[in-house]
Amino acid sequence: MRDTPLSNCERRFLLKAIEEKKRLDGRQTYDYRNIKISFGTDYGCCIVELGRTRVLGQVSCELVPPKDSRPTEGIMFFNLELSPMASPAFEPNRQSELLVMLNRQLERCLRNSKCIDTESLCVVSGEKVWQIRVDVHVLNHDGNLMDAASIAAISALSHFRRPDVAIQGRDITVFSPEERDPIPLSIYHMPICVSFAFFLQGSYLLVDPCEREERVKDGLLVIAMNKHREICSIQSSGGIMLLKDQVLRCSKIASVKVSEITELINKALENDRKIRKEGGKFGFAESMPKERITTLKRDEAPVEMTDVKETANEIVNRTETPTEAVSSPVLVAMGTAQVGEGIVNSWGLDEDEEDEPQTEDTKTDEVLVISDSEEEEVVILNEEAQKSTKPCKQK
Amino acid sequence: MIQNCLKQRFEHTSQLLRFCHFQLGFKSFSFSVLPMTVCPQLLQTDTIEKPAVCVIYPYCSRSKSLHDRAVINCQYSMATFSTAERKRRPHGDRKSSEMSLHLKQTFEAAVLTELYPRSQIDIYVKILQADGGNYSACVNAATLALVDAGIPMRDYVCACTAGFVEDTPLADLCHAEESGGGTSLALALLPRSGNIALLQMDARLHQDHLDALIEAAMTACKGLSKVLDGVVRQHLEEVSVLTRD
């Protein structure tokens, strides 16, 4: 199923708003949405929520023979999946450009930057090494998949524990988690991608574009950095023309954002570790907020109130005075009846029914029946209709 | 070992005129004389050879054609004998798809596509021998192919790689330098305006060195554009002499 195309007026609205430095959700140009990181019960499973974008990262490991060119190093394998669950624009089993771009960027960000010590993954040189596989699944697409995927991948890798091994000669014994505690991976640094979207031929840029903003963007610049201010990868895409000082400015912004996000990841890891040590409950089920209504409270919606009074006065002065006031809210016109009533039944089913409504017709001006209950005697406090107060008979 | 090789390289160069070190040496360009719009180019640098073919079709498949612009398709593939180990999948794997995508985006920005609505421009690049700087050589070859085809462009698109070894930025890295573990930055530039069409960098680099690295790559690209320009003019002279006779 293809996604609905963006209408021209929506596009114009978004671009106009960006020119005035306003965003749809009220953020500033360099603001990220709320990031929430939660870990599952198994080691190596993590869900990242960036606003409404949700991404799941899962790490698993396996003993395999190493590559011929590098017999003493472990293997890292990255895979990102876009399923139609994330967005109706994603079709199943289709190698789209976005998928290729995301996969390559994730590989470049994590593998080429050597954030994991692959030498420590070697068990028997030339024969058996650990293959670490990182699978990232996009659960909901609301823009900026790259950042969310990189945060999910690195958090999952930091959370993961691989089984302990003992080598005796040529025999390898892999211990299960019950026998010996699993060992964490040795991670040198945490590279995190920051995306910059460019609009209107590179004159405006936004950090962390949401899905609507992504649709009108001209191009994207992804900078992966770690908190030591080392750039791990830069990738510009979309065919935009950049200037050198734009790139340098983006890298400065990225370093600030990355240090904030790294702190967040470390805090989440710390929390999870503490809960596990204390024996409390952990996992996805626990990290979801319990939706119990204890009080009926609404979040305050931010409304701009700067010149409300003047606008209100303007509107009041501009409108015309309403037409003359009526005493009764019920206005009767020729040939009309009220809801629940209706005019004469012309089907001619019963002879009884035919007789009754005949009299009602002539007095439509006077009879005003509001209630359609058989029991009530409705009295209309209207001067003209004081004479005729009779209950109506409903079928 | 890499460090020793590089030190030797430094010693061999006569004098470092600037902060960066040029290692470009284009041996020969050969343009072939083919009718109309198909124009294969053979681009030979010191170590890399690749032919680039550019074809322009007046029609385009219905599903992909754009009403106001031309669609640019690029296909990047490597010959199986191009690298040290025999390549099993010449095209279709992720790296090739990514390269094709980047080439397409670079040229969409540089070519004046508004002049060819509802048409398609195909660019095929095949690497015969790879020794580092694959992307840059592809871009340069494709630029020449487009110029030969007569497709209007905003400027020459020149690309070059740059790297950082022991606090010295180097331009145009070879395979040994790229895989040695140092940083490598690939840059596609439109020299006259100084606009960067594509920027790609792998491996770790401290933020403070980024400026120097980009500067080195840009200078290399500007020098390269002069070489490309000279070659195009020379070829035109030759062709005009031939046609006159």
Short mmCIF file of all heavy atoms in Angstrom, two decimals, chain A residues 78-79 97 103-104 107-108 112-113 189 228-244 247-248 251-252 255, chain B residues 85 94-95 97-98 101-102 104-105 109 190 194-208 210-211 214-215 218:
data_model
loop_
_atom_site.label_atom_id
_atom_site.label_comp_id
_atom_site.label_asym_id
_atom_site.label_seq_id
_atom_site.Cartn_x
_atom_site.Cartn_y
_atom_site.Cartn_z
N PHE A 78 25.22 -6.37 10.98
CA PHE A 78 24.13 -5.45 11.27
C PHE A 78 23.02 -5.63 10.27
O PHE A 78 23.25 -5.82 9.10
CB PHE A 78 24.61 -4.00 11.19
CG PHE A 78 25.70 -3.70 12.16
CD1 PHE A 78 27.01 -3.77 11.78
CD2 PHE A 78 25.39 -3.36 13.46
CE1 PHE A 78 28.01 -3.51 12.69
CE2 PHE A 78 26.39 -3.11 14.36
CZ PHE A 78 27.71 -3.18 13.97
N ASN A 79 21.81 -5.53 10.75
CA ASN A 79 20.67 -5.70 9.86
C ASN A 79 19.55 -4.80 10.35
O ASN A 79 19.19 -4.81 11.51
CB ASN A 79 20.22 -7.16 9.88
CG ASN A 79 19.13 -7.40 8.88
OD1 ASN A 79 19.10 -6.76 7.83
ND2 ASN A 79 18.21 -8.29 9.18
N GLU A 97 15.39 2.31 -1.45
CA GLU A 97 16.59 3.13 -1.27
C GLU A 97 16.81 3.47 0.18
O GLU A 97 17.94 3.48 0.68
CB GLU A 97 16.42 4.44 -2.05
CG GLU A 97 16.62 4.28 -3.51
CD GLU A 97 16.39 5.60 -4.24
OE1 GLU A 97 16.22 6.63 -3.58
OE2 GLU A 97 16.41 5.56 -5.47
N ASN A 103 20.82 0.92 6.29
CA ASN A 103 21.71 -0.19 6.62
C ASN A 103 23.16 0.21 6.51
O ASN A 103 23.98 -0.08 7.38
CB ASN A 103 21.43 -1.36 5.68
CG ASN A 103 20.46 -2.34 6.28
OD1 ASN A 103 20.67 -2.84 7.36
ND2 ASN A 103 19.37 -2.58 5.59
N ARG A 104 23.50 0.87 5.40
CA ARG A 104 24.89 1.23 5.17
C ARG A 104 25.36 2.23 6.20
O ARG A 104 26.48 2.16 6.69
CB ARG A 104 25.05 1.83 3.76
CG ARG A 104 25.09 0.81 2.68
CD ARG A 104 26.33 -0.03 2.72
NE ARG A 104 27.52 0.77 2.64
CZ ARG A 104 28.67 0.46 3.20
NH1 ARG A 104 28.79 -0.61 3.91
NH2 ARG A 104 29.70 1.26 3.06
N GLU A 107 25.95 0.43 9.46
CA GLU A 107 27.19 -0.34 9.40
C GLU A 107 28.39 0.57 9.53
O GLU A 107 29.33 0.29 10.27
CB GLU A 107 27.29 -1.03 8.04
CG GLU A 107 26.79 -2.43 8.04
CD GLU A 107 27.04 -3.10 6.69
OE1 GLU A 107 28.08 -2.82 6.08
OE2 GLU A 107 26.19 -3.88 6.29
N ARG A 108 28.34 1.69 8.78
CA ARG A 108 29.48 2.59 8.79
C ARG A 108 29.68 3.21 10.16
O ARG A 108 30.78 3.33 10.66
CB ARG A 108 29.29 3.68 7.75
CG ARG A 108 30.58 3.94 7.04
CD ARG A 108 30.52 5.08 6.15
NE ARG A 108 29.69 4.81 5.02
CZ ARG A 108 28.68 5.57 4.66
NH1 ARG A 108 28.41 6.64 5.32
NH2 ARG A 108 27.97 5.26 3.63
N ASN A 112 32.87 0.63 11.14
CA ASN A 112 34.12 1.29 10.76
C ASN A 112 34.70 2.11 11.89
O ASN A 112 35.88 2.39 11.89
CB ASN A 112 33.87 2.20 9.55
CG ASN A 112 33.51 1.38 8.33
OD1 ASN A 112 33.34 0.19 8.43
ND2 ASN A 112 33.38 2.06 7.22
N SER A 113 33.87 2.51 12.82
CA SER A 113 34.40 3.32 13.91
C SER A 113 35.03 2.45 14.98
O SER A 113 35.59 2.96 15.93
CB SER A 113 33.28 4.12 14.53
OG SER A 113 32.32 3.24 15.06
N HIS A 189 33.69 3.07 22.74
CA HIS A 189 32.99 4.35 22.76
C HIS A 189 31.63 4.15 22.14
O HIS A 189 31.37 3.12 21.53
CB HIS A 189 33.78 5.42 21.99
CG HIS A 189 33.98 5.09 20.55
ND1 HIS A 189 33.21 5.63 19.55
CD2 HIS A 189 34.84 4.27 19.94
CE1 HIS A 189 33.61 5.15 18.39
NE2 HIS A 189 34.60 4.32 18.60
N HIS A 228 33.50 11.87 23.04
CA HIS A 228 34.84 12.45 23.10
C HIS A 228 35.10 13.39 21.95
O HIS A 228 36.24 13.70 21.64
CB HIS A 228 35.89 11.32 23.03
CG HIS A 228 35.68 10.26 24.04
ND1 HIS A 228 35.81 10.49 25.39
CD2 HIS A 228 35.31 8.98 23.91
CE1 HIS A 228 35.54 9.38 26.04
NE2 HIS A 228 35.23 8.44 25.17
N ARG A 229 34.03 13.82 21.27
CA ARG A 229 34.11 14.76 20.15
C ARG A 229 34.89 14.19 18.97
O ARG A 229 35.56 14.91 18.25
CB ARG A 229 34.71 16.10 20.60
CG ARG A 229 33.76 16.84 21.52
CD ARG A 229 34.30 18.17 21.95
NE ARG A 229 34.56 19.01 20.79
CZ ARG A 229 35.64 19.76 20.66
NH1 ARG A 229 36.56 19.78 21.59
NH2 ARG A 229 35.81 20.50 19.59
N GLU A 230 34.82 12.90 18.81
CA GLU A 230 35.42 12.31 17.62
C GLU A 230 34.31 12.00 16.63
O GLU A 230 33.33 11.36 16.98
CB GLU A 230 36.14 11.01 17.97
CG GLU A 230 37.41 11.21 18.73
CD GLU A 230 37.99 9.90 19.19
OE1 GLU A 230 37.24 8.90 19.19
OE2 GLU A 230 39.17 9.88 19.53
N ILE A 231 34.54 12.42 15.39
CA ILE A 231 33.53 12.16 14.38
C ILE A 231 33.75 10.76 13.83
O ILE A 231 34.85 10.43 13.39
CB ILE A 231 33.66 13.18 13.25
CG1 ILE A 231 33.50 14.58 13.82
CG2 ILE A 231 32.61 12.92 12.19
CD1 ILE A 231 33.63 15.64 12.79
N CYS A 232 32.71 9.95 13.88
CA CYS A 232 32.86 8.57 13.42
C CYS A 232 32.46 8.43 11.95
O CYS A 232 33.00 7.59 11.24
CB CYS A 232 32.02 7.64 14.27
SG CYS A 232 32.47 7.74 15.99
N SER A 233 31.50 9.20 11.52
CA SER A 233 31.17 9.14 10.11
C SER A 233 30.34 10.35 9.73
O SER A 233 29.60 10.87 10.55
CB SER A 233 30.42 7.84 9.78
OG SER A 233 29.12 8.08 9.39
N ILE A 234 30.52 10.80 8.50
CA ILE A 234 29.68 11.88 7.97
C ILE A 234 29.12 11.39 6.65
O ILE A 234 29.82 10.78 5.86
CB ILE A 234 30.50 13.15 7.67
CG1 ILE A 234 31.24 13.62 8.88
CG2 ILE A 234 29.59 14.26 7.19
CD1 ILE A 234 31.97 14.91 8.64
N GLN A 235 27.88 11.63 6.43
CA GLN A 235 27.29 11.24 5.16
C GLN A 235 26.28 12.28 4.75
O GLN A 235 25.34 12.54 5.50
CB GLN A 235 26.60 9.87 5.32
CG GLN A 235 25.90 9.40 4.09
CD GLN A 235 26.89 9.09 2.99
OE1 GLN A 235 27.82 8.32 3.17
NE2 GLN A 235 26.69 9.70 1.85
N SER A 236 26.49 12.85 3.57
CA SER A 236 25.47 13.77 3.08
C SER A 236 24.72 13.07 1.96
O SER A 236 25.32 12.36 1.16
CB SER A 236 26.11 15.05 2.57
OG SER A 236 26.59 14.86 1.27
N SER A 237 23.42 13.25 1.91
CA SER A 237 22.65 12.58 0.86
C SER A 237 21.54 13.50 0.42
O SER A 237 21.20 14.46 1.10
CB SER A 237 22.06 11.27 1.39
OG SER A 237 21.18 11.54 2.43
N GLY A 238 20.98 13.20 -0.70
CA GLY A 238 19.85 13.98 -1.17
C GLY A 238 20.23 15.00 -2.20
O GLY A 238 19.38 15.73 -2.69
N GLY A 239 21.50 15.08 -2.55
CA GLY A 239 21.85 15.98 -3.64
C GLY A 239 21.78 17.44 -3.29
O GLY A 239 21.50 18.28 -4.12
N ILE A 240 22.02 17.81 -2.06
CA ILE A 240 22.04 19.23 -1.71
C ILE A 240 23.45 19.75 -1.82
O ILE A 240 24.40 19.02 -1.70
CB ILE A 240 21.58 19.48 -0.27
CG1 ILE A 240 21.90 18.27 0.59
CG2 ILE A 240 20.15 19.84 -0.22
CD1 ILE A 240 22.07 18.60 2.00
N MET A 241 23.55 21.05 -2.01
CA MET A 241 24.85 21.69 -2.07
C MET A 241 25.17 22.24 -0.70
O MET A 241 24.41 23.04 -0.16
CB MET A 241 24.80 22.84 -3.08
CG MET A 241 24.57 22.35 -4.47
SD MET A 241 25.95 21.38 -5.00
CE MET A 241 25.34 20.77 -6.51
N LEU A 242 26.28 21.81 -0.14
CA LEU A 242 26.63 22.31 1.19
C LEU A 242 27.84 23.22 1.08
O LEU A 242 28.63 23.12 0.17
CB LEU A 242 27.02 21.14 2.10
CG LEU A 242 25.93 20.15 2.44
CD1 LEU A 242 26.55 18.99 3.17
CD2 LEU A 242 24.89 20.78 3.31
N LEU A 243 27.99 24.08 2.07
CA LEU A 243 29.21 24.87 2.17
C LEU A 243 30.01 24.34 3.34
O LEU A 243 29.47 23.73 4.26
CB LEU A 243 28.86 26.33 2.40
CG LEU A 243 28.16 26.97 1.22
CD1 LEU A 243 27.59 28.30 1.64
CD2 LEU A 243 29.12 27.14 0.06
N LYS A 244 31.30 24.59 3.30
CA LYS A 244 32.16 24.00 4.32
C LYS A 244 31.77 24.47 5.72
O LYS A 244 31.76 23.68 6.67
CB LYS A 244 33.61 24.36 4.01
CG LYS A 244 34.58 23.61 4.91
CD LYS A 244 35.98 23.91 4.54
CE LYS A 244 36.36 25.26 5.09
NZ LYS A 244 37.77 25.34 5.46
N VAL A 247 28.92 22.56 7.24
CA VAL A 247 29.29 21.24 7.77
C VAL A 247 29.95 21.40 9.14
O VAL A 247 29.68 20.65 10.08
CB VAL A 247 30.24 20.53 6.79
CG1 VAL A 247 30.70 19.23 7.36
CG2 VAL A 247 29.57 20.31 5.46
N LEU A 248 30.81 22.40 9.26
CA LEU A 248 31.50 22.58 10.55
C LEU A 248 30.52 22.97 11.64
O LEU A 248 30.61 22.50 12.78
CB LEU A 248 32.59 23.64 10.39
CG LEU A 248 33.72 23.24 9.44
CD1 LEU A 248 34.66 24.40 9.22
CD2 LEU A 248 34.49 22.07 10.00
N SER A 251 28.66 19.97 12.79
CA SER A 251 29.44 19.08 13.65
C SER A 251 29.48 19.62 15.08
O SER A 251 29.47 18.86 16.05
CB SER A 251 30.84 18.88 13.09
OG SER A 251 31.62 20.00 13.28
N LYS A 252 29.50 20.94 15.22
CA LYS A 252 29.51 21.50 16.58
C LYS A 252 28.20 21.21 17.29
O LYS A 252 28.17 20.82 18.47
CB LYS A 252 29.74 23.01 16.54
CG LYS A 252 31.12 23.39 16.14
CD LYS A 252 31.44 24.84 16.48
CE LYS A 252 32.83 25.21 16.05
NZ LYS A 252 33.04 25.25 14.61
N SER A 255 28.02 17.60 18.40
CA SER A 255 28.78 17.20 19.59
C SER A 255 27.99 17.49 20.86
O SER A 255 27.99 16.69 21.80
CB SER A 255 30.13 17.91 19.62
OG SER A 255 29.97 19.29 19.67
N GLU B 85 41.04 -10.05 -3.87
CA GLU B 85 40.27 -11.30 -3.82
C GLU B 85 39.19 -11.23 -4.87
O GLU B 85 38.58 -10.19 -5.07
CB GLU B 85 39.59 -11.43 -2.46
CG GLU B 85 40.57 -11.67 -1.35
CD GLU B 85 39.85 -11.56 0.00
OE1 GLU B 85 38.62 -11.36 0.04
OE2 GLU B 85 40.55 -11.67 1.00
N ARG B 94 24.95 -4.53 -1.10
CA ARG B 94 24.58 -3.25 -0.48
C ARG B 94 25.56 -2.14 -0.83
O ARG B 94 25.16 -1.01 -1.08
CB ARG B 94 24.53 -3.42 1.03
CG ARG B 94 23.23 -4.00 1.45
CD ARG B 94 23.06 -3.88 2.92
NE ARG B 94 21.95 -4.72 3.35
CZ ARG B 94 21.87 -5.31 4.50
NH1 ARG B 94 22.84 -5.17 5.37
NH2 ARG B 94 20.83 -6.04 4.83
N LYS B 95 26.85 -2.45 -0.87
CA LYS B 95 27.82 -1.39 -1.12
C LYS B 95 27.62 -0.81 -2.51
O LYS B 95 27.68 0.40 -2.69
CB LYS B 95 29.23 -1.96 -1.01
CG LYS B 95 29.83 -1.76 0.33
CD LYS B 95 31.33 -1.86 0.31
CE LYS B 95 31.86 -1.51 1.68
NZ LYS B 95 32.97 -2.35 2.08
N SER B 97 24.86 -0.85 -4.27
CA SER B 97 23.61 -0.08 -4.32
C SER B 97 23.80 1.29 -3.71
O SER B 97 23.31 2.29 -4.21
CB SER B 97 22.50 -0.79 -3.54
OG SER B 97 22.42 -2.12 -3.89
N GLU B 98 24.56 1.33 -2.61
CA GLU B 98 24.77 2.62 -1.95
C GLU B 98 25.57 3.55 -2.86
O GLU B 98 25.24 4.73 -2.98
CB GLU B 98 25.52 2.40 -0.65
CG GLU B 98 25.42 3.59 0.26
CD GLU B 98 26.58 3.66 1.20
OE1 GLU B 98 27.55 2.92 0.99
OE2 GLU B 98 26.52 4.46 2.13
N LEU B 101 23.46 4.90 -5.56
CA LEU B 101 22.57 5.92 -5.01
C LEU B 101 23.29 7.24 -4.84
O LEU B 101 22.78 8.31 -5.20
CB LEU B 101 22.05 5.44 -3.66
CG LEU B 101 20.86 6.15 -3.09
CD1 LEU B 101 19.70 6.00 -4.02
CD2 LEU B 101 20.53 5.57 -1.74
N HIS B 102 24.52 7.18 -4.32
CA HIS B 102 25.27 8.41 -4.11
C HIS B 102 25.62 9.09 -5.41
O HIS B 102 25.55 10.32 -5.54
CB HIS B 102 26.55 8.13 -3.32
CG HIS B 102 26.27 7.83 -1.90
ND1 HIS B 102 27.10 7.10 -1.11
CD2 HIS B 102 25.23 8.16 -1.12
CE1 HIS B 102 26.59 7.01 0.09
NE2 HIS B 102 25.45 7.63 0.11
N LYS B 104 23.97 8.88 -8.16
CA LYS B 104 22.73 9.45 -8.69
C LYS B 104 22.43 10.78 -8.03
O LYS B 104 22.12 11.77 -8.67
CB LYS B 104 21.60 8.46 -8.42
CG LYS B 104 20.22 8.93 -8.81
CD LYS B 104 19.23 7.85 -8.43
CE LYS B 104 17.95 8.45 -7.93
NZ LYS B 104 16.91 8.45 -8.92
N GLN B 105 22.59 10.84 -6.72
CA GLN B 105 22.27 12.08 -6.01
C GLN B 105 23.25 13.18 -6.37
O GLN B 105 22.86 14.34 -6.53
CB GLN B 105 22.30 11.84 -4.51
CG GLN B 105 21.07 11.11 -4.06
CD GLN B 105 21.17 10.64 -2.64
OE1 GLN B 105 22.23 10.74 -2.02
NE2 GLN B 105 20.09 10.11 -2.13
N ALA B 109 22.13 16.75 -8.58
CA ALA B 109 22.35 18.12 -8.13
C ALA B 109 23.13 18.93 -9.16
O ALA B 109 22.99 20.15 -9.23
CB ALA B 109 23.13 18.10 -6.82
N LEU B 190 31.79 21.10 -6.62
CA LEU B 190 31.65 21.91 -7.83
C LEU B 190 32.62 23.06 -7.65
O LEU B 190 32.35 23.99 -6.89
CB LEU B 190 30.20 22.43 -7.94
CG LEU B 190 29.21 21.54 -8.68
CD1 LEU B 190 28.98 20.23 -7.96
CD2 LEU B 190 27.90 22.24 -8.86
N GLY B 194 32.33 26.28 -5.06
CA GLY B 194 32.75 25.75 -3.77
C GLY B 194 31.67 24.96 -3.06
O GLY B 194 31.77 24.71 -1.87
N ASN B 195 30.62 24.56 -3.78
CA ASN B 195 29.56 23.79 -3.14
C ASN B 195 29.94 22.32 -3.07
O ASN B 195 30.44 21.76 -4.04
CB ASN B 195 28.26 23.90 -3.95
CG ASN B 195 27.58 25.21 -3.72
OD1 ASN B 195 27.69 25.78 -2.65
ND2 ASN B 195 26.87 25.68 -4.71
N ILE B 196 29.66 21.72 -1.95
CA ILE B 196 29.96 20.31 -1.76
C ILE B 196 28.74 19.52 -2.17
O ILE B 196 27.68 19.67 -1.58
CB ILE B 196 30.31 20.03 -0.30
CG1 ILE B 196 31.51 20.87 0.12
CG2 ILE B 196 30.61 18.57 -0.09
CD1 ILE B 196 31.81 20.76 1.59
N ALA B 197 28.89 18.68 -3.19
CA ALA B 197 27.75 17.89 -3.63
C ALA B 197 27.58 16.65 -2.78
O ALA B 197 26.46 16.21 -2.54
CB ALA B 197 27.92 17.49 -5.09
N LEU B 198 28.69 16.06 -2.35
CA LEU B 198 28.57 14.89 -1.49
C LEU B 198 29.77 14.83 -0.57
O LEU B 198 30.89 15.08 -0.99
CB LEU B 198 28.51 13.62 -2.33
CG LEU B 198 28.15 12.41 -1.46
CD1 LEU B 198 26.94 11.72 -2.03
CD2 LEU B 198 29.28 11.44 -1.36
N LEU B 199 29.50 14.47 0.66
CA LEU B 199 30.55 14.38 1.67
C LEU B 199 30.38 13.05 2.39
O LEU B 199 29.29 12.74 2.85
CB LEU B 199 30.38 15.53 2.66
CG LEU B 199 31.39 15.66 3.77
CD1 LEU B 199 32.72 15.96 3.19
CD2 LEU B 199 30.96 16.77 4.68
N GLN B 200 31.45 12.27 2.42
CA GLN B 200 31.33 10.96 3.04
C GLN B 200 32.60 10.68 3.81
O GLN B 200 33.68 10.81 3.26
CB GLN B 200 31.15 9.94 1.93
CG GLN B 200 30.89 8.56 2.40
CD GLN B 200 30.59 7.67 1.22
OE1 GLN B 200 29.87 8.06 0.31
NE2 GLN B 200 31.16 6.51 1.21
N MET B 201 32.47 10.32 5.07
CA MET B 201 33.67 10.05 5.84
C MET B 201 33.48 8.84 6.72
O MET B 201 32.42 8.67 7.30
CB MET B 201 34.00 11.24 6.73
CG MET B 201 35.40 11.15 7.24
SD MET B 201 35.72 12.31 8.52
CE MET B 201 35.10 11.42 9.89
N ASP B 202 34.50 8.00 6.80
CA ASP B 202 34.47 6.84 7.69
C ASP B 202 35.59 6.95 8.68
O ASP B 202 36.54 7.65 8.47
CB ASP B 202 34.67 5.55 6.88
CG ASP B 202 33.62 5.40 5.84
OD1 ASP B 202 32.52 5.93 6.04
OD2 ASP B 202 33.90 4.77 4.81
N ALA B 203 35.50 6.18 9.68
CA ALA B 203 36.54 6.04 10.71
C ALA B 203 36.69 7.29 11.55
O ALA B 203 36.20 8.35 11.21
CB ALA B 203 37.88 5.65 10.10
N ARG B 204 37.36 7.17 12.66
CA ARG B 204 37.33 8.23 13.66
C ARG B 204 38.26 9.37 13.33
O ARG B 204 39.36 9.18 12.88
CB ARG B 204 37.73 7.63 15.00
CG ARG B 204 36.58 6.93 15.66
CD ARG B 204 37.07 5.88 16.57
NE ARG B 204 37.70 6.45 17.75
CZ ARG B 204 38.15 5.71 18.75
NH1 ARG B 204 38.06 4.41 18.67
NH2 ARG B 204 38.70 6.25 19.79
N LEU B 205 37.75 10.57 13.60
CA LEU B 205 38.55 11.76 13.39
C LEU B 205 38.11 12.75 14.43
O LEU B 205 36.92 12.94 14.66
CB LEU B 205 38.24 12.34 12.00
CG LEU B 205 38.88 13.68 11.70
CD1 LEU B 205 40.32 13.50 11.39
CD2 LEU B 205 38.18 14.33 10.54
N HIS B 206 39.06 13.41 15.06
CA HIS B 206 38.64 14.39 16.05
C HIS B 206 38.05 15.61 15.36
O HIS B 206 38.47 15.99 14.29
CB HIS B 206 39.83 14.79 16.93
CG HIS B 206 39.39 15.44 18.18
ND1 HIS B 206 39.28 16.80 18.30
CD2 HIS B 206 39.00 14.93 19.36
CE1 HIS B 206 38.84 17.09 19.51
NE2 HIS B 206 38.67 15.98 20.18
N GLN B 207 37.06 16.20 16.02
CA GLN B 207 36.31 17.29 15.40
C GLN B 207 37.21 18.43 14.96
O GLN B 207 36.95 19.09 13.95
CB GLN B 207 35.30 17.79 16.42
CG GLN B 207 34.26 18.67 15.83
CD GLN B 207 33.35 19.21 16.91
OE1 GLN B 207 33.54 18.94 18.09
NE2 GLN B 207 32.38 19.98 16.51
N ASP B 208 38.30 18.68 15.69
CA ASP B 208 39.13 19.83 15.36
C ASP B 208 39.87 19.64 14.04
O ASP B 208 40.26 20.61 13.41
CB ASP B 208 40.15 20.09 16.47
CG ASP B 208 39.46 20.33 17.80
OD1 ASP B 208 38.30 20.79 17.76
OD2 ASP B 208 40.07 20.06 18.84
N LEU B 210 38.65 18.30 11.40
CA LEU B 210 37.73 18.21 10.26
C LEU B 210 37.96 19.34 9.27
O LEU B 210 37.97 19.13 8.06
CB LEU B 210 36.29 18.25 10.77
CG LEU B 210 35.21 18.08 9.72
CD1 LEU B 210 35.28 16.72 9.10
CD2 LEU B 210 33.84 18.28 10.34
N ASP B 211 38.17 20.53 9.80
CA ASP B 211 38.37 21.70 8.93
C ASP B 211 39.55 21.49 8.00
O ASP B 211 39.44 21.67 6.78
CB ASP B 211 38.61 22.92 9.83
CG ASP B 211 38.54 24.21 9.04
OD1 ASP B 211 38.13 24.14 7.87
OD2 ASP B 211 38.89 25.25 9.60
N ILE B 214 38.78 18.80 5.25
CA ILE B 214 37.90 19.24 4.17
C ILE B 214 38.65 20.21 3.26
O ILE B 214 38.53 20.18 2.04
CB ILE B 214 36.63 19.89 4.72
CG1 ILE B 214 35.83 18.89 5.53
CG2 ILE B 214 35.77 20.42 3.59
CD1 ILE B 214 34.51 19.42 6.01
N GLU B 215 39.46 21.07 3.89
CA GLU B 215 40.22 22.04 3.12
C GLU B 215 41.17 21.34 2.16
O GLU B 215 41.28 21.71 0.98
CB GLU B 215 41.03 22.90 4.11
CG GLU B 215 41.47 24.24 3.60
CD GLU B 215 40.37 25.03 2.95
OE1 GLU B 215 39.36 25.29 3.62
OE2 GLU B 215 40.51 25.33 1.75
N MET B 218 39.22 19.86 -0.71
CA MET B 218 38.72 20.88 -1.63
C MET B 218 39.82 21.40 -2.54
O MET B 218 39.63 21.61 -3.74
CB MET B 218 38.09 22.05 -0.85
CG MET B 218 36.72 21.70 -0.30
SD MET B 218 36.03 22.97 0.73
CE MET B 218 35.25 24.01 -0.44
#
